[in-house]
């Protein structure tokens, strides 16, 4: 049995649409993209975090600094 743990940093509903945001380091970006598509059945937006956001944001899958955010289209 696999002990795969999926952590999505932020899920919220805005105007009836669930917004999903996954923060990812370089190592986990492919996994974050795959998980988003598998769960949401749509393609995500991939953005690089701003320098000031990188300082305080950790990857949703490990404790490394996040470099990217995978989220619903705005």
């Amino acid at each position: 049995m696999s002990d795969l743990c999926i952590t999505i940093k932020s899920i919220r509903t805005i105007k009836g649409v669930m917004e999903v945001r996954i923060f990812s380091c370089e190592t986990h970006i492919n996994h974050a993209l795959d998980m988003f598509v598998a769960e949401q059945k749509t393609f995500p937006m991939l953005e690089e975090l701003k320098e000031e956001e990188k300082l305080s944001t950790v990857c949703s899958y490990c404790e490394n600094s996040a470099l990217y955010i995978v989220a619903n289209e705005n």
Side-chain angles (χ1 to χ4, degrees):
M1 175 182 255
S2 175
D3 289 330
L4 177 62
C5 179
I6 301 168
T7 304
I8 296 178
K9 192 68 170 179
S10 174
I11 300 176
R12 62 183 175 167
T13 303
I14 300 174
K15 297 181 183 177
V17 176
M18 185 170 58
E19 180 181 276
V20 177
R21 297 164 40 108
I22 304 171
F23 297 98
S24 177
C25 65
E26 188 73 36
T27 302
H28 291 109
I29 190 60
N30 289 330
H31 182 69
L33 290 166
D34 289 345
M35 294 307 298
F36 185 96
V37 171
E39 292 175 9
Q40 299 299 310
K41 309 290 189 246
T42 187
F43 294 105
M45 295 294 293
L46 171 63
E47 295 182 21
E48 191 170 351
L49 290 174
K50 297 175 185 155
E51 287 301 318
E52 59 271 8
E53 293 174 315
K54 290 179 185 178
L55 298 174
S56 62
T57 308
V58 296
C59 176
S60 297
Y61 302 101
C62 67
E63 295 299 315
N64 292 334
S65 295
L67 301 177
Y68 305 102
I69 183 168
V70 178
N72 300 63
E73 290 188 51
N74 294 342

